[in-house]
Amino acid sequence: MPRRTTRVLKKAIRATEKAEDQVTALYTPLITERKEIRLVTLCSGNFEDDIFCSLSKVSLDDKPSYEALSYVWGDRRITRRIFIDGLSKRVTRNLEIALRHLRYDSRPRVLWIDAICINQRNIAERSVQVMHMDEVYAKATSVIAWLGEESNDSNLAFDALNALPTVLLQHWDPQKNAKFDMTALEPKFTSALRSLFLRPWWRRIWTVQESILGPAMSLICGKRQVSADTSCSVAFSQAYHSRACCRRFLLEHLKDNAFWDLLEGMDPLYHLGMWRNEHCDHRLVCLLAHFRSRFCLDPRDKVYGLLGLCISDEKNLVVPDYSLPASVVYEQATFKMIERSLSLEVFSQLCPRSIKSTGMLAGKLPSWVPDWTSEITSYDHAVLIVRQERAAFDFKASASTFTSARQQEQGKLSLNGILLDSIAVLIIGQRQASHLRVTIDCFKEMRDLAGVEDFPDRLYGTKTSTYYDAFWQTLCSSILPSRSNLTENADAIRASDDLTQRSWHDAWWDWVLNLGTDDERADLVNAEFTGSELNAFDRSVGVSTCLRNFFLSKDKQWMGFIPIDAEIGDIIALLEGGRVPYILRPKTGVDKGRYELIGDAYVHGIMDGEGWSPDLLQEIVLV
């Protein structure tokens, strides 16, 4: 080896050893039994000064006083230098900029910051500290949400948040509220709001519990600051009025996409407020459903980052262990949720293969384990949440049974179930480019296949309902919003052969055929149903058809909706502990006799236990 190369190598080794020595000096061991954490004291200074800090160890049980920082690390390859206890440490550029903005000029500031207070090189310490994250944020005097530097007219966004109504009773229409100032809804303001709420902080998995658990939280961007709870009140007011009494005015007066910028921009803030106001713990299966689209560099954090929000007896359902592969963590988490709940609710989080292939764990998981790293659109994500909630509360296809799922070896799940029928005919749904549900031509194909035009009064299934009634109820999966409360979070009702409900579908179909769901002219379609009611029915259809295809079964001639990657010949099955039917695909080769789980389904006529018969139960092994 040349001498120069040897000298360079020795220099690199000495630098590495020096860095390790500095880490050892900074991060003396924490006592787990005392719930010890580290706090960083940010020394005072001017904005341009170097950043100096000190570290100290405290016990959470001693109720220390500190603020907790919630932020996005940013590109880990781009770092800047700060000084901790006289030693140099590299942190990401985004954190260094945050510290400059948060530093006081005349007094120190005590903070908890994950990148500094946790020895990130120590896997064992990381695993333990993650278990304390909920307490760290819940016991902080306040949480600082650092959204980033001033850019993209962020100051205009803060101006708008300070000007818009925060009281639910205040209308967003000057004719109904003389104090309402339309200036804050000019396109430059709504565009700025949308940009602010598209920042990475709103999409990071760890900011979920950080933003929900803190007793108080401030949103900070550059030199501007606003209370999170006050901002959420703006979002609540906007959501209520833009979907009901003030919708027509806002549609008519907000130009250049300002209306849609407003709705899309406020959505993250609205949901933040909803979660902050829900002072209760949650099941892990629901948290994963709601926050699966959040980003993290380590896929294991999709699970670990939500444990702090779980109900008390689920906080240790999965013990953080960064030595395990992500695929093992996901499989263990899925089985533990099934085992604890005795239900198969988590199966409703499975995505079609076209979406699965986008995940970091594509091809590494059994078919029955969701890949929470799959890239999914915000609309598809919202639909999966709604469908999981419906599966849990509105249906009982397996007669309210409990699962006795067993896992004797990794990758395989044994269940009891019934194989009912197979897929005979499919209609491949095509979404409209300008709309989120399927095309009009696709709806016409469904109607032709179901025979609703030629034989509308033909009896369906149990012979108590016609194919026409079965078809329109299938379109909305037998779930309708209450006409007395059309908001998206209102309680749903089960559809039936009621003539008024059928007329609601008929009015919607007229709207689709004649106006193509033109939102601004919906009130012109039918005197009996308002535009808001037609939109509500349309949303129900969108939820039913999203990521699904219409089908008829081989023997029973059932109709319904199944995952878009289901194929002719796939099996319709009921599984113990499932609230809805599932689509299975028989395996061949070494796994012959076992099944791949394709996903859940809506099959009209068997959603309330009509197809359940304990005498037909058999063991079904999923791989």
Side-chain angles (χ1 to χ4, degrees):
M1 182 181 295
R3 290 183 179 179
R4 186 172 184 277
T5 303
T6 303
R7 287 197 301 272
V8 171
L9 183 58
K10 288 182 177 179
K11 185 176 181 181
I13 293 173
R14 286 196 298 271
T16 301
E17 291 174 344
K18 182 178 179 181
E20 293 294 341
D21 290 341
Q22 288 185 344
V23 169
T24 302
L26 283 176
Y27 295 109
T28 56
L30 297 170
I31 301 175
T32 303
E33 295 74 19
R34 294 191 68 238
K35 289 187 180 180
E36 280 193 339
I37 63 170
R38 299 184 188 90
L39 295 177
V40 56
T41 299
L42 178 60
C43 299
S44 60
N46 296 320
F47 187 86
E48 300 81 8
D49 294 343
D50 285 339
I51 294 172
F52 291 90
C53 311
S54 62
L55 276 178
S56 59
K57 292 191 292 185
V58 297
S59 168
L60 283 169
D61 292 335
D62 292 337
K63 300 179 180 180
S65 179
Y66 61 93
E67 298 170 285
L69 180 63
S70 176
Y71 70 108
V72 175
W73 279 38
D75 192 333
R76 300 190 185 202
R77 297 169 299 179
I78 304 175
T79 62
R80 289 182 177 176
R81 184 183 62 177
I82 65 172
F83 295 93
I84 305 177
D85 292 328
L87 298 175
S88 174
K89 179 177 174 61
R90 307 296 297 190
V91 298
T92 62
R93 175 182 177 275
N94 194 44
L95 175 54
E96 195 262 0
I97 292 173
L99 292 174
R100 288 191 181 279
H101 282 82
L102 298 176
R103 175 170 53 185
Y104 294 135
D105 57 5
S106 59
R107 57 190 173 94
R109 192 169 194 174
V110 180
L111 302 164
W112 186 89
I113 304 169
D114 59 354
I116 297 176
C117 296
I118 299 175
N119 183 357
Q120 300 294 330
R121 298 186 184 184
N122 187 323
I123 292 177
E125 180 177 307
R126 282 171 58 200
S127 299
V128 171
Q129 288 290 292
V130 162
M131 297 176 66
H132 297 325
M133 292 280 278
D134 56 333
E135 280 194 80
V136 168
Y137 282 88
K139 292 184 175 181
T141 56
S142 66
V143 173
I144 303 166
W146 171 252
L147 304 184
E149 295 179 274
E150 175 190 340
S151 64
N152 296 322
D153 293 324
S154 55
N155 285 342
L156 291 180
F158 277 75
D159 291 340
L161 289 173
N162 288 323
L164 291 169
T166 58
V167 179
L168 200 61
L169 296 178
Q170 293 177 339
H171 287 281
W172 289 52
D173 181 346
Q175 296 177 353
K176 299 175 182 178
N177 176 12
K179 295 182 179 180
F180 182 72
D181 183 5
M182 280 291 293
T183 305
L185 293 183
E186 292 177 358
K188 63 180 181 180
F189 288 99
T190 57
S191 177
L193 284 168
R194 183 175 180 273
S195 295
L196 182 69
F197 297 120
L198 284 176
R199 290 186 176 224
W201 185 88
W202 300 94
R203 304 194 303 273
R204 180 174 172 258
I205 192 69
W206 283 108
T207 59
V208 175
Q209 69 170 358
E210 294 167 3
S211 61
I212 293 173
L213 292 174
M217 185 171 76
S218 297
L219 304 176
I220 300 180
C221 182
K223 297 181 180 180
R224 298 295 296 272
Q225 177 173 333
V226 67
S227 160
D229 291 332
T230 299
S231 300
C232 291
S233 297
V234 174
F236 289 152
S237 179
Q238 175 270 326
Y240 178 81
H241 290 281
S242 65
R243 291 187 176 101
C245 52
C246 300
R247 182 179 182 86
R248 173 58 63 84
F249 169 82
L250 293 172
L251 274 170
E252 291 177 351
H253 289 81
L254 297 190
K255 305 301 182 183
D256 301 324
N257 293 320
F259 178 77
W260 303 109
D261 280 346
L262 181 66
L263 259 61
E264 183 177 355
M266 287 289 192
D267 194 58
L269 195 57
Y270 174 84
H271 285 98
L272 171 62
M274 292 292 290
W275 283 92
R276 281 184 62 79
N277 287 341
E278 285 189 4
H279 300 293
C280 59
D281 295 326
H282 306 274
R283 294 181 302 136
L284 181 59
V285 68
C286 294
L287 292 167
L288 285 165
H290 279 273
F291 298 110
R292 67 179 300 158
S293 61
R294 292 295 187 107
F295 173 76
C296 57
L297 287 175
D298 189 329
R300 292 168 292 196
D301 287 339
K302 289 272 189 171
V303 176
Y304 297 162
L306 297 173
L307 294 175
L309 293 171
C310 288
I311 55 179
S312 56
D313 54 351
E314 283 195 8
K315 288 185 185 296
N316 296 317
L317 191 67
V318 178
V319 178
D321 184 350
Y322 284 98
S323 67
L324 294 176
S327 58
V328 173
V329 173
Y330 281 31
E331 183 174 336
Q332 288 182 353
T334 301
F335 180 70
K336 289 291 186 181
M337 287 185 283
I338 292 172
E339 185 179 49
R340 183 194 176 280
S341 66
L342 301 178
S343 81
L344 306 180
E345 184 179 353
V346 69
F347 286 173
S348 292
Q349 296 187 29
L350 292 169
C351 287
R353 288 179 177 179
S354 58
I355 294 178
K356 283 183 183 179
S357 64
T358 65
M360 288 188 278
L361 301 181
K364 299 178 181 178
L365 297 170
S367 66
W368 51 274
V369 177
D371 183 356
W372 291 294
T373 68
S374 298
E375 296 176 10
I376 185 170
T377 69
S378 58
Y379 178 78
D380 292 344
H381 180 199
V383 165
L384 289 180
I385 294 172
V386 173
R387 286 213 292 249
Q388 177 179 318
E389 291 173 348
R390 288 181 178 179
F393 300 109
D394 294 312
F395 301 121
K396 49 181 179 179
S398 297
S400 301
T401 55
F402 298 102
T403 188
S404 54
R406 289 90 57 197
Q407 192 178 27
Q408 296 177 342
E409 59 180 297
Q410 188 172 324
K412 297 180 175 62
L413 185 69
S414 297
L415 305 147
N416 298 325
I418 305 170
L419 307 181
L420 290 175
D421 204 345
S422 61
I423 307 302
V425 186
L426 279 173
I427 290 180
I428 308 301
Q430 298 294 325
R431 287 188 184 182
Q432 300 181 64
S434 60
H435 205 285
L436 293 170
R437 58 160 174 70
V438 297
T439 63
I440 294 175
D441 287 341
C442 187
F443 281 127
K444 290 180 178 178
E445 285 188 61
M446 295 179 194
R447 293 172 70 89
D448 288 341
L449 182 61
V452 297
E453 303 292 355
D454 298 328
F455 310 102
D457 296 324
R458 183 165 54 112
L459 293 179
Y460 176 87
T462 58
K463 311 300 183 185
T464 61
S465 185
T466 67
Y467 262 80
Y468 191 97
D469 283 325
F471 176 75
W472 78 256
Q473 290 170 43
T474 296
L475 279 183
C476 60
S477 295
S478 293
I479 301 292
L480 290 173
S482 169
R483 291 181 69 185
S484 62
N485 186 357
L486 296 174
T487 60
E488 293 183 8
N489 295 308
D491 292 335
I493 60 174
R494 288 295 299 272
S496 67
D497 295 348
D498 178 78
L499 289 178
T500 301
Q501 292 185 358
R502 176 172 172 169
S503 297
W504 195 354
H505 158 268
D506 294 344
W508 166 82
W509 182 235
D510 286 342
W511 180 41
V512 171
L513 282 178
N514 299 317
L515 296 176
T517 64
D518 183 341
D519 197 34
E520 295 188 24
R521 294 193 290 168
D523 287 320
L524 306 176
V525 174
N526 188 291
E528 184 180 356
F529 297 93
T530 66
S532 295
E533 288 172 331
L534 297 183
N535 268 294
F537 192 95
D538 193 60
R539 286 197 298 270
S540 294
V541 173
V543 169
S544 296
T545 59
C546 177
L547 300 178
R548 284 179 166 177
N549 290 327
F550 185 77
F551 82 97
L552 289 182
S553 70
K554 180 179 178 181
D555 298 325
K556 311 286 188 178
Q557 288 293 288
W558 287 324
M559 70 175 73
F561 287 105
I562 55 180
I564 56 175
D565 50 347
E567 300 173 355
I568 291 174
D570 285 348
I571 305 298
I572 301 169
L574 297 178
L575 304 174
E576 270 189 341
R579 307 282 292 189
V580 293
Y582 298 95
I583 305 302
L584 308 182
R585 181 169 300 156
K587 299 289 289 184
T588 58
V590 295
D591 283 324
K592 187 175 182 180
R594 295 163 178 160
Y595 296 87
E596 177 183 354
L597 176 60
I598 305 301
D600 66 359
Y602 175 86
V603 182
H604 192 75
I606 65 169
M607 301 302 292
D608 294 305
E610 298 91 337
W612 185 257
S613 176
D615 294 338
L616 300 177
L617 284 173
Q618 65 182 76
E619 183 180 48
I620 295 174
V621 180
L622 302 179
V623 294

